[in-house]
Amino acid sequence: MKKSKLTMLIVFLCIPLASGGLSALLSGSFKDTYAGLKQPPPAVPAWLFPVVWTILYILMGLSAWLVWLCSYSSTSFRQTMGPFWIQLFLNFFWSILFFRWHLLYFSSFWLIALILCVWWMIRSFLPVSRKAAQLQIPCLIWCCFAAYLSFGTAILN
């Protein structure tokens, strides 16, 4: 692998991981907040969220890198990456809305916007790199599950 490809892989991995890490820091003590909320079944242990999100952020970075590999020399790269940046923005603020500001219903609807954006990202990545699109399916599934948990928690609290 050429040095520039490896460098870009590291950059594309670091961007979502840094976004997720900063979001977690700004969200406050999510474990305490989470433990104090009534949750719909199945109650997911708090330790699982950072593990799953770390994996999903790595998959996001890999997807973005694959898109870059396939289209970095074309003007379509910026268009293809638009949904990636928007979903990263939506992702960044969800935990802050839910855990820091306790906007349970609003953050649940925010998740719907995130789900739609992840779907858009998958559709955008598909013509450029099928593998990049497929790597986002776990994110779509997890966000749907998170929406169920978020709406359920909002209703129960």
Side-chain angles (χ1 to χ4, degrees), residues 78-124:
R78 282 178 278 170
Q79 288 177 325
T80 304
M81 290 298 290
F84 171 84
W85 297 113
I86 296 169
Q87 71 80 28
L88 200 58
F89 170 84
L90 292 171
N91 223 320
F92 176 84
F93 280 104
W94 181 83
S95 60
I96 296 167
L97 293 168
F98 189 90
F99 292 110
R100 164 84 52 189
W101 296 334
H102 308 287
L103 299 171
L104 302 183
Y105 279 103
F106 183 76
S107 63
S108 298
F109 286 105
W110 189 272
L111 264 173
I112 299 301
L114 176 59
I115 289 165
L116 293 172
C117 196
V118 171
W119 176 253
W120 178 32
M121 180 176 62
I122 290 169
R123 301 273 308 183
S124 178

Side-chain angles (χ1 to χ4, degrees), residues 35-99:
L37 294 169
K38 294 177 189 167
Q39 301 153 20
V44 180
W47 63 264
L48 185 62
F49 290 100
V51 173
V52 169
W53 277 111
T54 299
I55 293 167
L56 294 176
Y57 287 133
I58 290 169
L59 293 176
M60 284 177 208
L62 285 172
S63 288
W65 180 70
L66 288 170
V67 168
W68 175 80
L69 281 177
C70 295
S71 66
Y72 71 91
S73 63
S74 71
T75 56
S76 68
F77 175 71
R78 282 178 278 170
Q79 288 177 325
T80 304
M81 290 298 290
F84 171 84
W85 297 113
I86 296 169
Q87 71 80 28
L88 200 58
F89 170 84
L90 292 171
N91 223 320
F92 176 84
F93 280 104
W94 181 83
S95 60
I96 296 167
L97 293 168
F98 189 90
F99 292 110

Side-chain angles (χ1 to χ4, degrees), residues 111-112 115 138-151:
L111 264 173
I112 299 301
I115 289 165
C139 185
L140 182 63
I141 293 167
W142 182 259
C143 286
C144 289
F145 179 62
Y148 158 75
L149 293 175
S150 185
F151 275 107

